[in-house]
Amino acid sequence: MLVVTKEQKSQTEPPFPNDLYEAFKIIKEFGSSQPLLAFYNCGDNSGASQAHKHIQIIPLKTDGSVQPPIKKAYDEIHDRHVGKSIAR
């Protein structure tokens, strides 16, 4: 799935809070039957191939089969705080 802005926004801009909120709503609604992973690549070095702003949401496998490559990068983030707010 793609979460795309209504207005033409550049993919090189950071995601805005509303972009993240919309992706979160999709994960909450559709992620109960299968785990989902949302990611935002924001430039040539991150693999962005579309100029318009979008967040990608992909299903993850639960049967131990091959996962999308972005899942390996996600698993290597040791200090992530899934579903928790972080006071800074």
Side-chain angles (χ1 to χ4, degrees), residues 23-38:
F24 176 75
K25 285 190 334 188
I26 291 170
I27 289 172
K28 289 290 284 181
E29 184 170 340
F30 295 102
S32 61
S33 60
Q34 181 174 15
L36 300 173
L37 175 67

Side-chain angles (χ1 to χ4, degrees), residues 58-82:
I58 57 174
L60 299 176
K61 311 233 189 259
T62 57
D63 61 3
S65 60
V66 176
Q67 296 283 10
I70 191 71
K71 174 72 165 77
K72 182 176 186 290
Y74 173 78
D75 289 341
E76 292 174 359
I77 302 170
H78 299 290
D79 62 346
R80 68 181 181 265
H81 300 274
V82 178

Side-chain angles (χ1 to χ4, degrees), residues 9-66:
K9 300 287 183 184
S10 173
Q11 187 70 6
T12 59
E13 293 181 20
F16 298 136
N18 197 48
D19 301 329
L20 299 174
Y21 176 70
E22 293 301 323
F24 176 75
K25 285 190 334 188
I26 291 170
I27 289 172
K28 289 290 284 181
E29 184 170 340
F30 295 102
S32 61
S33 60
Q34 181 174 15
L36 300 173
L37 175 67
F39 63 97
Y40 181 80
N41 48 5
C42 57
D44 293 336
N45 292 334
S46 67
S49 59
Q50 299 298 317
H52 65 274
K53 190 181 230 185
H54 65 284
I55 295 173
Q56 299 177 59
I57 300 176
I58 57 174
L60 299 176
K61 311 233 189 259
T62 57
D63 61 3
S65 60
V66 176

